[in-house]
Amino acid sequence: GVDFLTFFLDLHSIAGGATPASKSKDPDVLTSVEHQELVLLTCIEELSNFVAACRAVPVPQPWIGSAVMLAFDCRARLSRQAVLSSRKPGELARVYISDWKEAEFSTPTNHGLLGAKMQKDRQTTWSQYCGGVARLLYDCCLLYVSHFWRKPRSFALSLWDKDRLSEDDFIGCIFAPPKVVYEQQEVLRDATGGIVRSHRFHGK
């Protein structure tokens, strides 16, 4: 869900030698954060239209095995003026539906020829499909609101003991306000809120 979308929007490391927008000195080029916001907003627009179209079809569709894919050009260096003057839904990101090998389109006539059980089964799977796409839309909206609508009030740093053969162990974390500091000591706390005073590492 949201974790996947965070990785999807990550522009910290761009292959191919392109200059990240965050390092560009051109004021007309969008920063990485602005690029992320517009990409996510475009995905929300595209998914909203797709969910509305799915719910408007007269009969359930047997789109078994089809996949929803989000895509955008992570190496693009977007012009601020061009985006503000001519941005349209789908220009910055695309929502694709792929893998139609086992899917088919159903019409009211074809649906009416099916037995009652088959009609019920298709209604169930179609409801699940629409619900899955709606959940993806919800996750996009949740990430957008939490990242771009609300002013950050704190950030968290967590420390983990990484293990190769077993589950990672949570050691502790700190919460701090988003302010500029050059050197500051913080208290590491465990999951119960207690102060972490020592920890024995087992992993490598």
Side-chain angles (χ1 to χ4, degrees):
V2 175
D3 290 339
F4 150 74
L5 291 171
T6 301
F7 289 117
F8 167 68
L9 294 170
D10 187 6
L11 296 174
H12 284 90
S13 178
I14 302 176
T19 302
S22 60
K23 295 183 179 180
S24 173
K25 297 181 180 180
D26 187 351
D28 188 50
V29 175
L30 294 182
T31 65
S32 295
V33 174
E34 291 172 322
H35 192 176
Q36 289 173 327
E37 179 179 4
L38 288 176
V39 166
L40 187 55
L41 183 59
T42 302
C43 288
I44 291 173
E45 294 171 347
E46 292 278 279
L47 287 170
S48 297
N49 293 333
F50 182 53
V51 170
C54 287
R55 291 178 173 173
V57 296
V59 294
Q61 299 297 314
W63 291 357
I64 300 174
S66 63
V68 179
M69 179 177 65
L70 308 180
F72 76 100
D73 184 0
C74 64
R75 293 188 295 178
R77 300 177 73 251
L78 304 176
S79 166
R80 188 184 311 278
Q81 188 59 39
V83 169
L84 291 175
S85 61
S86 64
R87 191 180 74 85
K88 299 178 182 179
E91 285 187 342
L92 300 179
R94 294 294 177 89
V95 175
Y96 292 99
I97 312 301
S98 61
D99 199 357
W100 296 95
K101 292 183 294 185
E102 299 181 16
E104 62 181 87
F105 289 97
S106 180
T107 65
T109 300
N110 293 338
H111 187 71
L113 297 176
L114 301 174
K117 184 179 184 304
M118 179 62 73
Q119 290 185 5
K120 183 178 180 180
D121 290 343
R122 287 196 173 185
Q123 183 61 57
T124 299
T125 56
W126 181 241
S127 297
Q128 293 171 344
Y129 184 92
C130 293
V133 178
R135 178 54 192 263
L136 178 58
L137 171 60
Y138 171 82
D139 287 339
C140 288
C141 293
L142 179 63
L143 184 62
Y144 187 87
V145 170
S146 63
H147 277 56
F148 303 110
W149 274 16
R150 296 179 180 176
K151 183 178 180 180
R153 292 177 292 180
S154 65
F155 65 91
L157 297 175
S158 59
L159 180 63
W160 293 77
D161 178 8
K162 305 291 288 185
D163 293 316
R164 293 183 180 181
L165 303 179
S166 61
E167 293 185 358
D168 299 337
D169 298 319
F170 174 72
I171 300 174
C173 67
I174 63 170
F175 293 90
K179 62 181 180 180
V180 177
V181 294
Y182 296 98
E183 184 175 349
Q184 179 175 318
Q185 292 186 351
E186 295 286 346
V187 176
L188 193 66
R189 298 185 180 274
D190 59 23
T192 64
I195 298 176
V196 178
R197 300 186 184 279
S198 63
H199 182 81
R200 185 177 181 183
F201 291 90
H202 298 285
K204 294 182 179 181

